[in-house]
Structure formats: structure tokens, C-alpha cells
Amino acid sequence: MAIYHMQSKVISRGSGRSAVAASAYMSCSRMYNDYDGIQHDYTRKHGLIYQEVLLPPMAPPEWKDREQLWNAVEAAEKTKDSRLAREFVVALPVELDKNSNISLLQDFIQRNFVDMGMCADFAIHDTDGHNPHAHILLTVRPLNENGTWQYKTEKEYLCIKNGEEKGFTSTEFKAAQKDGWEKQYRYKVEKKKIYMTASDAQEKGYDRIDKHPKSSRYGRQNPISEQWNSDEQLCIWRANWADTVNKMLAHNQINASIEHRSFADQGITEQPTIHEGYIAQNMEKKGMIADRCEINRQIRADNQMLRELKTQVSKLAQAVKHSIPVIAETMETIRNHMIFTQYHLLHNEMQKEVIHDWMNHFNPILNKYNTVKKKLKAKVTEQKELNVEKEKTSILNPIQHIKLNQQLTTVTEEIEELKSRKEQLIFQAQCSTDKDMINLSKKYDQMNNNLDILDSQDISLKKQLEKDAAAFREEKFRPDPEQYTELLDTRIQIRPDFRDKLIEQLKGTFGKYYDYHRRDIAANEVDYLNVEDPDVFSHRAWELEYQRKREIRRNQPAQSKKKSHDMEL
């Protein structure tokens, strides 16, 4: 079914990645990186369904060739930790065909990224036919109208005027300087280093120890870049992705939808389930046992009721054995306990069904997650070994260096792919971190253990039900045949009170999970087990009520109709 997954990450040299390598990897192509001289060849990689480059109007048309586009990006960035690109990994609806998914992506990327001035390179992957997803690579540096790169950040000098400090870019400072603003430099004052203006330092005779003026730590960010990098914009993109997918599903008349908001934001107190998705997050509200304490509470309530029944039976045994009221009360007491036991069995059956559904949903996710985690661990180890080998390789062996760099780049991209897959599985499991997945695995084991507890409990409940049925039959055939009608009438009279007592016991034990439909089903199954026809009781109850009303009317004194002569005029 359609799921929501949208992962955002930044490709930077600081993390050992390259925009050229990332593009080659996702497009399964061969590309040469002018920046480091490495050839990236992923033409033998499988799973590519579709790839395309989309450009804004101001971008040079030759950038339609992704190799030229990303080499231009690499050339524009000078530092060793530069941010090169932004990558999104999105899950595509399995309900849509290839052309619909392509159209969906083109529309979303054009409206949300390209129209904002970004160059976009995207590819659709599906290695096993069941996991269609797309990688979207975006430029992070804005473009000028003539197709040249804008700055991402500008140097911002912190200047002083009349004790007030304010930031100016180099262009802004030319005008600010005429208005009396001065740059601050570092001077040595005794054993301290203090920032002050050149005019103040000259008056006091301090020596400058640094030629660089005081500036803000990160500089002045380009307003366009600031918008692209903001959390608010990311939230907009996440919401727009959900809207775009839902519109495409509706257009194709597919009864499915995705939701970008968390359960907390939706006001659902449940948690991603199933995935939610489709299985309820809060299993307690589904009637499933949360832990052993809930099971033990039910067992204690059941045992308490059984002890009360045995006490009552023992007392009744000392009474007149053939007293119809006593027999009727004993039979209704046993019937109540049988209904309670049968209800408990039905409740357990429902709990096991919910547990099975929950386990069937999360079992494949946990298996895939563990597999991906093992592969990721192996790739990280391989990356470390390659780095060690690279450090040991002499600089006089450039060919070996290039070979190791190519291997490192491939391993790095494979690690990123596995990380994306792992994050997607974490999201499918409605978790946030690896720790949550560990807790989910423990919860899975607990659910499996709960099934064993419920099975063991069911065996005890069924044995008790058989004992109660035998005791009921013994009481049923205690009176003489000619007393059957009297026994039936007595049971009909006392049954409402017993029904109220049963409902009170069920509510006291099962609380908010009490279900009157399940109670009626349990009652019908108990009557079937005791070979009693509910229709006989209903028909006889109607006859008794009819007779009672006739008796009331018969005993009412005849009232003559008198005409009143005392009418007020």
C-alpha cells in the first residue's frame, strides 16, 4: 500500500561525498569528476527505472548533461567541507504504474524545486519490484539571471558606532563607513586580546595583533539559500509531497492516501502504526493485552468469581435439594460463570488475532531492517579498511590512490543507499531511531510470548467451561419432569438480576474493553452448549408478561363514568 517516506540529507565534502559520484550512482552511469580526477562507473548497477535532469530557465542548457551540471557544482565550491547538493529520497506508491510515477515526480520537482531556481537530477529505482522509490539531487547555490552562481554566504563585518555593534557586508560597509561605522580589530591589552576600533586603539597606543576584522561566525546567508535551508520550507515540501501523491492517487481512482504529519500532529493518540499504517498503534484500545499484569488481573478476577461460585454451590448443597428456587438460582449462577468464561475465550481470540496481525505486519520489516543493518555494518567496516589502506599507500603510487578513491566513493554511495533503505524501514515501522527499532524487536518477542500465555490460558478456561457444563446438566435434571415449567418460570423471573450482575462483573474485569456484542455471542454459545433454546425462554417470558398484565386488568375495580355537573362557566 502507499506509504509516506521523504528523507532529506545534504551531500558535502566534509562527509566524504561527491555530487558527481552521487549522481552517477543514482543514474547508474559513468561520470568523471574534474575536482578529484576520479572516474565513477556504476553502469552495472541494477534497479534503474527512469532518470532525468530538469533545469530552471536561467541555467545553461548544456547542464542537461548531468556530468557537466555536477562538475560545474564541484568547481564552484572551493573548501574541503563544502555543501555540494541536497538529496531527497521519496517512496513512490506501489499502486501507480511507471508512467504515473514519472508524471508524479516531474510535477512535484518542477513545482517545488525547479520553479524556485534549483537544478534537479532525479532517478527512479526499484530493485525487487516491490519498493519503488526516487532519489532527487538538487543544487544548493542559487543562480543569477545570466546563469552564473550566486554566493551562499557573504562575509559580514561587525562594526561599531557610538557603542552599538552592527553587521555589514563589504558592499554595505562602503556606505556605512561614511556614516561613522568602524571595523573592529584585535589588539593586545596587557595580557588580554580585545577587539576595538583602530581610532580607539591609536589613542591608547595599543598594537594590532591580527589583520582580520571582527566578523560574524557564519557570515550573511543568501536570502534564497536561507529560505531553501529553513525548517519551514522543509515542512512545506513534505506537505506538498503528500498532497501531490494523494492527487495522483485520486486521479487514478485509487482508494488510498498518505499523510505527512506525525500522529501527535494529527491528534491521534495512537503512534504510526500501521503504518498505522493500517494496524492500530494503540493495541490496548484494540483489546490486545499490553503486558502480563493485564492477563493476571483477568485471571485473578476469574478465580475470584470461581471461588464465589464454589462457596455458593456449597451453601446451596446444604439447602433443600429439590427446592425449585434454589435450583433455579444455582443454574443461573453456573450459566453466568459459563458466559463469563466464554466471553474471556472470545476476548482472548480477538487479542490473538490482533497480535497475529501486528506480528505479520512488523515481522518482514524487522527482518529487512536486520539484513540492511548487517550489510551497512559490513560496508562501514570495508570503508574503514580502505581508508587505512589509503593512508598506508605511498603518494608516489598515484594509480593505487585513484583506485582506492574510486573504491571508497563506491562504498560511500552504497553506505548512503543502505542508510536510506534503513531509514525507510524505520519509518515503515513508525519509529524514529535505531533504539526505537530495538524496542520494537523486544516488543515483538513480548507479543510472541503473550500468544503462548493466551494459549495456555485458553486451555484452562476450556477445562473450566466443561466442568461448569457438567454441573449445569446435573442441576437441570435434579427436579421431577412435572416441575420443569415451574423451574423455567422461576429462572425467567430471576434472570434480569443475574444479567445485571454479569454485566457488572464483565465491566469490572475488562473495563473499557467490554463489548456487549461479544457478551451476547458468549451467551448464545453457552445456551447451545447447555442444549437450551433461547426462543423457548423468550416465548415463555412473553406469555408470563401477558398473563401478568391480564391479571392486573382483571383485578382493577370497575369505575363508572360519571358526568360532572360542576363545570365552571
Side-chain angles (χ1 to χ4, degrees):
M1 63 177 295
I3 63 169
Y4 184 91
H5 176 72
M6 188 180 200
Q7 181 188 17
S8 173
K9 60 179 75 174
V10 173
I11 295 175
S12 69
R13 289 188 184 132
S15 61
R17 300 192 69 189
S18 155
V20 174
S23 177
Y25 186 84
M26 77 175 194
S27 61
C28 301
S29 60
R30 182 188 296 109
M31 293 170 61
Y32 182 79
N33 191 348
D34 295 333
Y35 178 79
D36 56 16
I38 297 178
Q39 177 85 15
H40 305 284
D41 188 355
Y42 299 105
T43 52
R44 289 181 292 180
K45 188 176 181 295
H46 299 290
L48 180 67
I49 304 298
Y50 182 81
Q51 51 81 20
E52 186 180 358
V53 175
L54 297 176
L55 301 175
M58 71 286 287
E62 58 267 22
W63 285 359
K64 270 288 186 180
D65 180 349
R66 55 172 49 87
E67 186 173 29
Q68 293 193 42
L69 167 63
W70 296 113
N71 270 307
V73 169
E74 295 272 4
E77 306 300 338
K78 308 301 182 184
T79 62
K80 62 181 180 181
D81 60 349
S82 293
R83 293 178 293 118
L84 304 170
R86 179 177 288 103
E87 182 183 18
F88 283 97
V89 182
V90 295
L92 298 172
V94 295
E95 292 88 348
L96 297 178
D97 57 25
K98 173 185 173 182
N99 292 333
S100 296
N101 273 327
I102 292 173
S103 176
L104 166 68
L105 272 174
Q106 289 172 334
D107 178 60
F108 174 73
I109 293 171
Q110 183 67 44
R111 290 174 180 270
N112 290 273
F113 303 130
V114 179
D115 288 351
M116 293 184 73
M118 304 180 204
C119 302
D121 182 7
F122 72 94
I124 299 176
H125 293 176
D126 192 0
T127 54
D128 58 6
H130 303 289
N131 180 34
H133 62 280
H135 294 257
I136 306 170
L137 214 56
L138 306 166
T139 54
V140 294
R141 186 182 287 270
L143 285 167
N144 292 309
E145 291 299 324
N146 60 1
T148 58
W149 297 112
Q150 296 183 25
Y151 67 90
K152 288 191 288 188
T153 57
E154 248 187 314
K155 193 86 170 176
E156 185 179 42
Y157 301 107
L158 297 176
C159 303
I160 287 285
K161 176 186 173 183
N162 299 329
E164 179 187 0
E165 187 177 69
K166 189 175 181 181
F168 298 96
T169 64
S170 57
T171 304
E172 294 169 344
F173 179 71
K174 293 178 181 179
Q177 189 176 25
K178 296 177 181 179
D179 197 30
W181 291 92
E182 294 183 75
K183 292 182 180 179
Q184 303 177 79
Y185 295 89
R186 189 177 296 179
Y187 291 88
K188 187 174 183 181
V189 180
E190 296 179 355
K191 294 183 179 181
K192 297 181 180 179
K193 298 174 182 179
I194 300 175
Y195 277 107
M196 63 177 60
T197 63
S199 59
D200 289 343
Q202 189 175 3
E203 290 178 5
K204 299 176 181 180
Y206 296 141
D207 295 327
R208 186 193 298 184
I209 59 175
D210 192 349
K211 66 177 181 179
H212 299 289
K214 185 179 181 182
S215 59
S216 58
R217 184 175 182 181
Y218 298 109
R220 178 86 60 81
Q221 191 173 182
N222 187 315
I224 299 176
S225 297
E226 187 175 12
Q227 180 187 0
W228 293 356
N229 295 330
S230 67
D231 292 338
E232 293 78 8
Q233 185 60 53
L234 179 60
C235 292
I236 292 172
W237 285 332
R238 287 176 58 83
N240 289 348
W241 173 246
D243 292 340
T244 305
V245 172
N246 289 335
K247 287 178 182 177
M248 181 60 75
L249 291 170
H251 177 73
N252 286 269
Q253 298 180 342
I254 297 173
N255 186 22
S257 64
I258 62 175
E259 175 59 63
H260 70 285
R261 296 173 299 167
S262 67
F263 277 12
D265 290 339
Q266 296 177 58
I268 301 176
T269 54
E270 294 130 16
Q271 219 202 73
T273 197
I274 192 177
H275 208 307
E276 180 79 302
Y278 57 87
I279 295 180
Q281 281 289 304
N282 192 334
M283 293 183 296
E284 284 289 336
K285 290 193 175 182
K286 286 282 188 178
M288 191 174 68
I289 295 173
D291 49 39
R292 293 175 182 265
C293 294
E294 177 63 23
I295 296 174
N296 290 337
R297 280 195 295 270
Q298 295 180 11
I299 293 174
R300 285 195 295 270
D302 194 14
N303 291 339
Q304 178 63 28
M305 188 174 182
L306 180 60
R307 284 193 293 269
E308 292 175 359
L309 175 62
K310 288 181 177 179
T311 301
Q312 190 171 2
V313 170
S314 177
K315 290 179 180 179
L316 291 173
Q318 299 174 7
V320 181
K321 292 185 177 180
H322 295 283
S323 171
I324 294 301
V326 172
I327 295 175
E329 187 172 347
T330 303
M331 292 179 67
E332 288 303 301
T333 301
I334 296 174
R335 180 177 179 273
N336 261 19
H337 188 259
M338 292 179 71
I339 294 174
F340 184 95
T341 305
Q342 184 62 46
Y343 182 98
H344 202 159
L345 284 168
L346 293 173
H347 181 71
N348 286 1
E349 182 180 347
M350 179 271 296
Q351 290 176 323
K352 287 190 284 187
E353 183 179 349
V354 174
I355 292 176
H356 280 301
D357 288 343
W358 187 90
M359 293 177 68
N360 290 337
H361 173 69
F362 284 107
N363 184 44
I365 296 176
L366 286 171
N367 289 339
K368 291 178 182 177
Y369 171 82
N370 291 329
T371 301
V372 169
K373 194 174 179 181
K374 289 179 182 178
K375 290 181 180 178
L376 182 58
K377 184 178 180 181
K379 288 296 179 183
V380 170
T381 302
E382 183 181 352
Q383 185 186 48
K384 291 179 180 178
E385 292 172 352
L386 287 171
N387 279 321
V388 171
E389 185 178 353
K390 181 181 175 182
E391 291 175 0
K392 293 180 179 179
T393 303
S394 172
I395 59 175
L396 301 177
N397 191 352
I399 296 177
Q400 182 64 13
H401 266 283
I402 292 175
K403 181 180 177 182
L404 289 172
N405 282 336
Q406 289 175 333
Q407 292 175 344
L408 274 169
T409 302
T410 299
V411 170
T412 301
E413 289 304 318
E414 289 173 345
I415 287 173
E416 291 301 318
E417 182 80 8
L418 288 169
K419 285 181 179 178
S420 295
R421 180 58 180 150
K422 189 179 79 166
E423 289 297 323
Q424 186 175 355
L425 290 168
I426 290 174
F427 185 85
Q428 288 181 14
Q430 297 179 344
C431 293
S432 301
T433 62
D434 289 328
K435 185 177 180 180
D436 293 338
M437 292 297 288
I438 293 174
N439 292 335
L440 179 65
S441 181
K442 292 179 180 179
K443 190 175 185 179
Y444 183 92
D445 294 337
Q446 181 61 47
M447 291 303 136
N448 201 23
N449 189 37
N450 283 346
L451 285 177
D452 295 336
I453 294 173
L454 289 171
D455 287 337
S456 176
Q457 191 180 88
D458 284 354
I459 293 173
S460 300
L461 291 172
K462 288 176 181 177
K463 288 181 179 178
Q464 185 57 50
L465 199 60
E466 292 175 358
K467 292 180 180 179
D468 288 344
F472 185 91
R473 287 192 297 271
E474 183 179 350
E475 292 297 322
K476 183 178 181 178
F477 296 110
R478 190 182 298 278
D480 296 329
E482 58 268 22
Q483 295 178 303
Y484 176 78
T485 302
E486 182 183 357
L487 175 62
L488 179 62
D489 293 348
T490 305
R491 290 179 63 192
I492 289 172
Q493 291 173 5
I494 64 175
R495 177 160 292 187
D497 292 335
F498 276 85
R499 183 187 297 114
D500 293 340
K501 183 178 180 181
L502 173 64
I503 293 173
E504 183 181 349
Q505 291 171 333
L506 289 171
K507 288 182 177 180
T509 302
F510 297 95
K512 59 183 178 180
Y513 308 127
Y514 166 74
D515 187 332
Y516 69 91
H517 291 296
R518 194 176 296 125
R519 182 206 70 205
D520 292 340
I521 294 172
N524 289 334
E525 291 186 9
V526 166
D527 287 338
Y528 178 81
L529 183 63
N530 290 334
V531 196
E532 291 196 301
D533 188 356
D535 291 336
V536 173
F537 276 74
S538 300
H539 183 69
R540 181 57 182 166
W542 179 85
E543 288 181 345
L544 290 175
E545 182 64 14
Y546 178 75
Q547 292 174 8
R548 186 183 68 82
K549 290 180 178 179
R550 284 190 62 185
E551 190 68 20
I552 291 174
R553 286 196 297 269
R554 186 181 301 115
N555 294 332
Q556 283 180 344
Q559 294 181 357
S560 59
K561 297 180 180 180
K562 298 181 180 179
K563 294 182 180 181
S564 176
H565 298 285
D566 301 325
M567 298 178 63
E568 295 183 2
L569 298 178

